Amino acid sequence: MQRQARGICMGQELTDRECALLSQQGDHAAYSVLVRRYQDRIYRFILRMVCSRDEALELAQDVLIKAFQAMSGWRPEAEFRTWLFRIASNTATDALRRRKVVEFVALDEDYDVPGEGAGPEAQLAAKQQLIALQAALDRLPPDHREILLLREVEDMSYNEIGTTLGITEGTVKSRLARARAAVIDHYRRKNA
């Protein structure tokens, strides 16, 4: 693999795997590409877990530094994204343990209700649904909430979630099913 990350500037898009391999060989530009691809997603994931913008920003930076320092430990057979989110998950969990508090950021921080084109009734209904959904999510234990975030927000497969969290695919499926059922049950009771 002789392509350098600067090849991106010439219109060649490198994969995560290619960038990770190049960064293992000391190509800092390749790691910069990975940082640009994942910094916002890592920040949002951590923000939803720690509920503090300043702390999430600091932890996201820590994750990217830890990943850079640990690049020699990344193996090409592993997907870079799951490896990076595992570092993020561990970092956020450690921060929560230090605080001994588990809080999450509300959904309405990132999700918009219908825009100006929608009538006031539609906007109000959407906002109420979002509030009810947030209340249902707030009731979940952290491990179920984390799995829902990885699946529904980060769009990871069961296998990727299992790799990220260090659990089996069967455990992912069962936790996800329980988490979804709990959210749906609470949401229905609130809206009945």
Side-chain angles (χ1 to χ4, degrees), residues 119-146:
E121 295 86 14
Q123 289 180 350
L124 178 61
K127 184 70 172 178
Q128 288 173 334
Q129 288 176 339
L130 194 58
I131 290 168
L133 180 58
Q134 182 64 51
L137 288 172
D138 288 344
R139 296 178 54 109
L140 291 178
D143 57 338
H144 289 170
R145 178 97 186 249
E146 183 176 46

Side-chain angles (χ1 to χ4, degrees), residues 14 69 120 148:
L14 298 178
Q69 293 170 338
L148 273 176

Side-chain angles (χ1 to χ4, degrees), residues 10-23:
M10 297 183 296
Q12 298 174 331
E13 181 74 22
L14 298 178
T15 65
D16 288 352
R17 184 178 186 280
E18 291 170 326
C19 286
L21 286 169
L22 287 169
S23 67

Side-chain angles (χ1 to χ4, degrees), residues 96-141:
L96 291 172
R97 277 191 202 121
R98 284 191 300 272
R99 274 201 263 152
K100 297 189 184 350
V101 174
V102 178
E103 296 179 28
F104 296 94
V105 169
L107 282 175
D108 61 1
E109 294 285 331
D110 274 342
Y111 296 95
D112 295 324
V113 294
E116 294 176 22
E121 295 86 14
Q123 289 180 350
L124 178 61
K127 184 70 172 178
Q128 288 173 334
Q129 288 176 339
L130 194 58
I131 290 168
L133 180 58
Q134 182 64 51
L137 288 172
D138 288 344
R139 296 178 54 109
L140 291 178

Side-chain angles (χ1 to χ4, degrees), residues 147-168:
I147 282 184
L148 273 176
L149 288 173
L150 291 173
R151 178 68 180 160
E152 305 303 336
V153 176
E154 294 303 327
D155 199 31
M156 286 189 179
S157 69
Y158 296 136
N159 184 45
E160 290 172 325
I161 295 168
T163 301
T164 299
L165 299 178
I167 57 178
T168 67

Side-chain angles (χ1 to χ4, degrees), residues 6-155:
R6 65 178 167 264
I8 295 165
C9 298
M10 297 183 296
Q12 298 174 331
E13 181 74 22
L14 298 178
T15 65
D16 288 352
R17 184 178 186 280
E18 291 170 326
C19 286
L21 286 169
L22 287 169
S23 67
Q24 280 184 326
Q25 298 167 11
D27 188 334
H28 295 295
Y31 191 73
S32 294
V33 169
L34 293 169
V35 167
R36 282 191 298 279
R37 283 182 190 165
Y38 288 100
Q39 65 187 356
D40 291 342
R41 292 173 67 183
I42 294 296
Y43 168 75
R44 283 191 309 267
F45 175 73
I46 292 174
L47 176 62
R48 288 185 185 102
M49 293 190 66
V50 301
C51 198
S52 165
R53 291 183 188 282
D54 292 337
E55 186 177 16
L57 184 58
E58 184 178 321
L59 292 173
Q61 290 173 351
D62 288 349
V63 166
L64 295 169
I65 291 168
K66 286 178 187 177
F68 179 75
Q69 293 170 338
M71 277 307 295
S72 63
W74 175 78
R75 298 289 171 243
E77 60 273 5
E79 188 175 336
F80 178 79
R81 178 174 77 150
T82 58
W83 180 79
L84 184 62
F85 270 91
R86 182 168 193 156
I87 294 170
S89 174
N90 290 342
T91 301
T93 301
D94 289 346
L96 291 172
R97 277 191 202 121
R98 284 191 300 272
R99 274 201 263 152
K100 297 189 184 350
V101 174
V102 178
E103 296 179 28
F104 296 94
V105 169
L107 282 175
D108 61 1
E109 294 285 331
D110 274 342
Y111 296 95
D112 295 324
V113 294
E116 294 176 22
E121 295 86 14
Q123 289 180 350
L124 178 61
K127 184 70 172 178
Q128 288 173 334
Q129 288 176 339
L130 194 58
I131 290 168
L133 180 58
Q134 182 64 51
L137 288 172
D138 288 344
R139 296 178 54 109
L140 291 178
D143 57 338
H144 289 170
R145 178 97 186 249
E146 183 176 46
I147 282 184
L148 273 176
L149 288 173
L150 291 173
R151 178 68 180 160
E152 305 303 336
V153 176
E154 294 303 327
D155 199 31

